[in-house]
Short mmCIF file of all heavy atoms in Angstrom, two decimals:
data_model
loop_
_atom_site.label_atom_id
_atom_site.label_comp_id
_atom_site.label_asym_id
_atom_site.label_seq_id
_atom_site.Cartn_x
_atom_site.Cartn_y
_atom_site.Cartn_z
N ASP A 1 -15.82 -15.39 21.09
CA ASP A 1 -16.61 -14.70 20.10
C ASP A 1 -15.79 -13.83 19.14
O ASP A 1 -15.93 -13.81 17.94
CB ASP A 1 -17.74 -13.87 20.74
CG ASP A 1 -18.67 -14.74 21.53
OD1 ASP A 1 -18.75 -15.95 21.22
OD2 ASP A 1 -19.37 -14.27 22.46
N ARG A 2 -14.80 -13.10 19.80
CA ARG A 2 -13.94 -12.18 19.02
C ARG A 2 -13.08 -13.03 18.08
O ARG A 2 -12.88 -12.65 16.89
CB ARG A 2 -13.02 -11.40 19.94
CG ARG A 2 -12.23 -10.35 19.25
CD ARG A 2 -11.32 -9.56 20.21
NE ARG A 2 -10.36 -10.48 20.76
CZ ARG A 2 -9.18 -10.76 20.13
NH1 ARG A 2 -8.93 -10.27 18.94
NH2 ARG A 2 -8.30 -11.53 20.75
N LEU A 3 -12.52 -14.14 18.60
CA LEU A 3 -11.67 -15.01 17.74
C LEU A 3 -12.50 -15.63 16.65
O LEU A 3 -12.01 -15.83 15.52
CB LEU A 3 -10.98 -16.10 18.62
CG LEU A 3 -9.91 -15.53 19.58
CD1 LEU A 3 -9.33 -16.74 20.45
CD2 LEU A 3 -8.72 -14.98 18.77
N ALA A 4 -13.76 -16.02 17.02
CA ALA A 4 -14.63 -16.63 15.98
C ALA A 4 -14.87 -15.66 14.84
O ALA A 4 -14.79 -15.93 13.70
CB ALA A 4 -15.92 -17.01 16.59
N VAL A 5 -15.13 -14.34 15.24
CA VAL A 5 -15.34 -13.31 14.29
C VAL A 5 -14.03 -13.08 13.45
O VAL A 5 -14.04 -12.94 12.19
CB VAL A 5 -15.78 -11.96 14.92
CG1 VAL A 5 -15.80 -10.82 13.93
CG2 VAL A 5 -17.12 -12.17 15.58
N LYS A 6 -12.87 -12.97 14.19
CA LYS A 6 -11.58 -12.81 13.50
C LYS A 6 -11.32 -13.99 12.60
O LYS A 6 -10.81 -13.79 11.45
CB LYS A 6 -10.52 -12.64 14.55
CG LYS A 6 -9.14 -12.26 13.95
CD LYS A 6 -8.15 -11.99 15.04
CE LYS A 6 -6.78 -11.58 14.44
NZ LYS A 6 -5.80 -11.37 15.46
N LEU A 7 -11.65 -15.23 13.09
CA LEU A 7 -11.41 -16.42 12.24
C LEU A 7 -12.27 -16.34 11.01
O LEU A 7 -11.78 -16.71 9.87
CB LEU A 7 -11.71 -17.64 13.10
CG LEU A 7 -11.50 -19.02 12.36
CD1 LEU A 7 -10.06 -19.19 11.90
CD2 LEU A 7 -11.91 -20.14 13.23
N GLU A 8 -13.47 -15.92 11.18
CA GLU A 8 -14.37 -15.79 10.03
C GLU A 8 -13.82 -14.72 9.02
O GLU A 8 -13.83 -15.00 7.80
CB GLU A 8 -15.72 -15.43 10.50
CG GLU A 8 -16.84 -15.50 9.42
CD GLU A 8 -17.05 -16.93 8.95
OE1 GLU A 8 -16.75 -17.86 9.73
OE2 GLU A 8 -17.49 -17.10 7.79
N GLN A 9 -13.37 -13.62 9.65
CA GLN A 9 -12.75 -12.54 8.76
C GLN A 9 -11.51 -13.12 8.03
O GLN A 9 -11.30 -12.84 6.90
CB GLN A 9 -12.41 -11.31 9.58
CG GLN A 9 -13.59 -10.58 10.15
CD GLN A 9 -13.24 -9.42 10.99
OE1 GLN A 9 -11.99 -9.27 11.36
NE2 GLN A 9 -14.19 -8.59 11.34
N SER A 10 -10.70 -13.84 8.84
CA SER A 10 -9.49 -14.44 8.22
C SER A 10 -9.86 -15.42 7.10
O SER A 10 -9.17 -15.47 6.06
CB SER A 10 -8.65 -15.14 9.34
OG SER A 10 -8.27 -14.29 10.37
N LYS A 11 -10.92 -16.20 7.37
CA LYS A 11 -11.33 -17.12 6.33
C LYS A 11 -11.74 -16.39 5.09
O LYS A 11 -11.37 -16.72 3.94
CB LYS A 11 -12.46 -18.03 6.86
CG LYS A 11 -12.05 -19.01 7.89
CD LYS A 11 -13.27 -19.91 8.29
CE LYS A 11 -12.83 -20.94 9.32
NZ LYS A 11 -14.01 -21.74 9.78
N VAL A 12 -12.53 -15.25 5.34
CA VAL A 12 -12.93 -14.48 4.18
C VAL A 12 -11.74 -13.90 3.45
O VAL A 12 -11.63 -13.90 2.21
CB VAL A 12 -13.93 -13.41 4.63
CG1 VAL A 12 -14.29 -12.46 3.51
CG2 VAL A 12 -15.24 -14.03 5.20
N GLU A 13 -10.84 -13.26 4.28
CA GLU A 13 -9.65 -12.69 3.67
C GLU A 13 -8.80 -13.77 2.99
O GLU A 13 -8.27 -13.49 1.93
CB GLU A 13 -8.83 -12.04 4.78
CG GLU A 13 -9.49 -10.77 5.35
CD GLU A 13 -8.64 -10.17 6.54
OE1 GLU A 13 -7.61 -10.77 6.90
OE2 GLU A 13 -9.04 -9.13 7.04
N LYS A 14 -8.70 -14.87 3.58
CA LYS A 14 -7.92 -15.98 2.94
C LYS A 14 -8.57 -16.41 1.60
O LYS A 14 -7.90 -16.61 0.64
CB LYS A 14 -7.89 -17.14 3.92
CG LYS A 14 -7.02 -18.33 3.34
CD LYS A 14 -7.04 -19.49 4.33
CE LYS A 14 -6.20 -20.69 3.75
NZ LYS A 14 -6.20 -21.85 4.69
N GLN A 15 -9.88 -16.53 1.68
CA GLN A 15 -10.63 -16.89 0.43
C GLN A 15 -10.41 -15.77 -0.64
O GLN A 15 -10.14 -16.11 -1.79
CB GLN A 15 -12.12 -17.03 0.71
CG GLN A 15 -12.42 -18.30 1.57
CD GLN A 15 -13.86 -18.37 1.93
OE1 GLN A 15 -14.67 -17.43 1.65
NE2 GLN A 15 -14.23 -19.42 2.63
N LEU A 16 -10.49 -14.45 -0.16
CA LEU A 16 -10.28 -13.37 -1.11
C LEU A 16 -8.79 -13.42 -1.68
O LEU A 16 -8.58 -13.27 -2.86
CB LEU A 16 -10.52 -12.05 -0.45
CG LEU A 16 -12.05 -11.82 -0.08
CD1 LEU A 16 -12.13 -10.50 0.66
CD2 LEU A 16 -12.89 -11.79 -1.33
N ALA A 17 -7.85 -13.69 -0.72
CA ALA A 17 -6.50 -13.69 -1.11
C ALA A 17 -6.20 -14.85 -2.06
O ALA A 17 -5.46 -14.71 -3.08
CB ALA A 17 -5.54 -13.82 0.11
N GLU A 18 -6.79 -16.02 -1.70
CA GLU A 18 -6.62 -17.24 -2.57
C GLU A 18 -7.21 -16.93 -3.92
O GLU A 18 -6.67 -17.32 -4.94
CB GLU A 18 -7.28 -18.39 -1.91
CG GLU A 18 -6.51 -18.97 -0.69
CD GLU A 18 -7.25 -20.16 -0.05
OE1 GLU A 18 -8.37 -20.40 -0.50
OE2 GLU A 18 -6.65 -20.77 0.84
N ALA A 19 -8.39 -16.26 -3.91
CA ALA A 19 -9.04 -15.97 -5.21
C ALA A 19 -8.17 -14.97 -5.99
O ALA A 19 -8.01 -15.19 -7.20
CB ALA A 19 -10.43 -15.32 -4.95
N ALA A 20 -7.62 -13.92 -5.29
CA ALA A 20 -6.75 -12.96 -5.96
C ALA A 20 -5.52 -13.63 -6.50
O ALA A 20 -5.07 -13.41 -7.63
CB ALA A 20 -6.39 -11.79 -5.05
N LEU A 21 -4.90 -14.49 -5.60
CA LEU A 21 -3.72 -15.19 -6.06
C LEU A 21 -3.94 -16.17 -7.20
O LEU A 21 -3.17 -16.27 -8.10
CB LEU A 21 -3.11 -15.99 -4.85
CG LEU A 21 -1.74 -16.65 -4.98
CD1 LEU A 21 -0.69 -15.53 -5.22
CD2 LEU A 21 -1.36 -17.40 -3.72
N LYS A 22 -5.12 -16.80 -7.06
CA LYS A 22 -5.51 -17.75 -8.15
C LYS A 22 -5.67 -16.94 -9.47
O LYS A 22 -5.21 -17.35 -10.50
CB LYS A 22 -6.77 -18.44 -7.76
CG LYS A 22 -7.22 -19.48 -8.81
CD LYS A 22 -8.45 -20.18 -8.38
CE LYS A 22 -8.96 -21.19 -9.31
NZ LYS A 22 -10.19 -21.89 -8.93
N ASP A 23 -6.40 -15.79 -9.36
CA ASP A 23 -6.53 -14.98 -10.49
C ASP A 23 -5.25 -14.48 -11.07
O ASP A 23 -5.00 -14.45 -12.30
CB ASP A 23 -7.44 -13.80 -10.23
CG ASP A 23 -8.92 -14.18 -9.89
OD1 ASP A 23 -9.30 -15.30 -10.33
OD2 ASP A 23 -9.54 -13.35 -9.27
N LYS A 24 -4.29 -14.10 -10.15
CA LYS A 24 -3.01 -13.63 -10.51
C LYS A 24 -2.25 -14.71 -11.28
O LYS A 24 -1.69 -14.46 -12.36
CB LYS A 24 -2.22 -13.14 -9.27
CG LYS A 24 -0.80 -12.69 -9.62
CD LYS A 24 -0.07 -12.29 -8.33
CE LYS A 24 1.42 -11.87 -8.60
NZ LYS A 24 2.11 -11.55 -7.40
N TYR A 25 -2.20 -15.89 -10.69
CA TYR A 25 -1.44 -16.97 -11.28
C TYR A 25 -2.14 -17.47 -12.60
O TYR A 25 -1.49 -17.78 -13.56
CB TYR A 25 -1.28 -18.14 -10.35
CG TYR A 25 -0.19 -17.90 -9.29
CD1 TYR A 25 -0.40 -17.89 -7.93
CD2 TYR A 25 1.15 -17.67 -9.72
CE1 TYR A 25 0.54 -17.64 -7.01
CE2 TYR A 25 2.16 -17.44 -8.76
CZ TYR A 25 1.84 -17.41 -7.46
OH TYR A 25 2.85 -17.13 -6.55
N GLU A 26 -3.47 -17.40 -12.57
CA GLU A 26 -4.15 -17.78 -13.81
C GLU A 26 -3.84 -16.77 -14.88
O GLU A 26 -3.59 -17.12 -16.06
CB GLU A 26 -5.64 -17.85 -13.56
CG GLU A 26 -6.12 -19.08 -12.76
CD GLU A 26 -7.60 -19.05 -12.54
OE1 GLU A 26 -8.22 -18.06 -12.86
OE2 GLU A 26 -8.16 -20.09 -12.01
N THR A 27 -3.72 -15.45 -14.46
CA THR A 27 -3.40 -14.39 -15.41
C THR A 27 -2.00 -14.60 -15.90
O THR A 27 -1.67 -14.50 -17.14
CB THR A 27 -3.57 -13.02 -14.82
OG1 THR A 27 -4.91 -12.85 -14.34
CG2 THR A 27 -3.22 -11.95 -15.80
N GLN A 28 -1.05 -14.92 -14.94
CA GLN A 28 0.30 -15.14 -15.35
C GLN A 28 0.49 -16.39 -16.26
O GLN A 28 1.20 -16.36 -17.20
CB GLN A 28 1.18 -15.29 -14.12
CG GLN A 28 1.36 -14.06 -13.32
CD GLN A 28 2.25 -14.23 -12.03
OE1 GLN A 28 2.63 -15.42 -11.76
NE2 GLN A 28 2.59 -13.15 -11.39
N LEU A 29 -0.27 -17.42 -15.87
CA LEU A 29 -0.20 -18.59 -16.72
C LEU A 29 -0.80 -18.31 -18.12
O LEU A 29 -0.26 -18.82 -19.10
CB LEU A 29 -1.05 -19.75 -16.05
CG LEU A 29 -0.37 -20.35 -14.77
CD1 LEU A 29 -1.29 -21.35 -14.09
CD2 LEU A 29 0.94 -21.06 -15.18
N LYS A 30 -1.92 -17.50 -18.05
CA LYS A 30 -2.51 -17.17 -19.38
C LYS A 30 -1.50 -16.31 -20.18
O LYS A 30 -1.35 -16.61 -21.39
CB LYS A 30 -3.79 -16.42 -19.12
CG LYS A 30 -4.53 -16.01 -20.43
CD LYS A 30 -5.79 -15.26 -20.09
CE LYS A 30 -6.56 -14.86 -21.34
NZ LYS A 30 -7.81 -14.10 -21.13
N ASP A 31 -0.83 -15.34 -19.51
CA ASP A 31 0.09 -14.50 -20.17
C ASP A 31 1.28 -15.39 -20.68
O ASP A 31 1.80 -15.18 -21.82
CB ASP A 31 0.68 -13.41 -19.28
CG ASP A 31 -0.45 -12.38 -18.95
OD1 ASP A 31 -1.44 -12.31 -19.67
OD2 ASP A 31 -0.28 -11.71 -17.90
N ARG A 32 1.71 -16.29 -19.85
CA ARG A 32 2.82 -17.21 -20.24
C ARG A 32 2.40 -18.04 -21.43
O ARG A 32 3.17 -18.18 -22.38
CB ARG A 32 3.27 -18.04 -19.04
CG ARG A 32 4.42 -18.96 -19.36
CD ARG A 32 4.84 -19.72 -18.11
NE ARG A 32 5.92 -20.63 -18.40
CZ ARG A 32 7.25 -20.24 -18.30
NH1 ARG A 32 7.50 -19.03 -18.01
NH2 ARG A 32 8.15 -21.10 -18.60
N ASP A 33 1.18 -18.59 -21.33
CA ASP A 33 0.73 -19.40 -22.46
C ASP A 33 0.61 -18.59 -23.75
O ASP A 33 1.00 -19.00 -24.81
CB ASP A 33 -0.65 -19.98 -22.12
CG ASP A 33 -0.58 -21.02 -20.98
OD1 ASP A 33 0.55 -21.57 -20.85
OD2 ASP A 33 -1.61 -21.30 -20.39
N GLU A 34 0.09 -17.32 -23.54
CA GLU A 34 0.06 -16.44 -24.69
C GLU A 34 1.43 -16.11 -25.25
O GLU A 34 1.66 -16.06 -26.45
CB GLU A 34 -0.69 -15.16 -24.36
CG GLU A 34 -2.17 -15.33 -24.10
CD GLU A 34 -2.88 -14.05 -23.63
OE1 GLU A 34 -2.11 -13.03 -23.45
OE2 GLU A 34 -4.11 -14.02 -23.51
N ALA A 35 2.35 -15.87 -24.30
CA ALA A 35 3.74 -15.58 -24.71
C ALA A 35 4.38 -16.84 -25.47
O ALA A 35 5.02 -16.63 -26.47
CB ALA A 35 4.62 -15.22 -23.48
N ILE A 36 4.07 -18.03 -24.87
CA ILE A 36 4.56 -19.21 -25.55
C ILE A 36 4.00 -19.29 -26.96
O ILE A 36 4.65 -19.62 -27.89
CB ILE A 36 4.23 -20.43 -24.67
CG1 ILE A 36 5.10 -20.40 -23.39
CG2 ILE A 36 4.50 -21.73 -25.51
CD1 ILE A 36 4.71 -21.50 -22.40
N GLU A 37 2.63 -19.07 -26.97
CA GLU A 37 1.98 -19.07 -28.30
C GLU A 37 2.57 -18.04 -29.29
O GLU A 37 2.82 -18.35 -30.45
CB GLU A 37 0.49 -18.87 -28.12
CG GLU A 37 -0.22 -20.07 -27.53
CD GLU A 37 -0.08 -21.38 -28.33
OE1 GLU A 37 -0.06 -21.27 -29.57
OE2 GLU A 37 0.06 -22.40 -27.67
#
């Protein structure tokens, strides 16, 4: 049960990290595209 809860938390954290990383890279790509432009 503890591991299930931890796994669920990890999944949530992973999803949040992936979302943050995705936003970061999207922002970087956007900035790069803007810089290129």
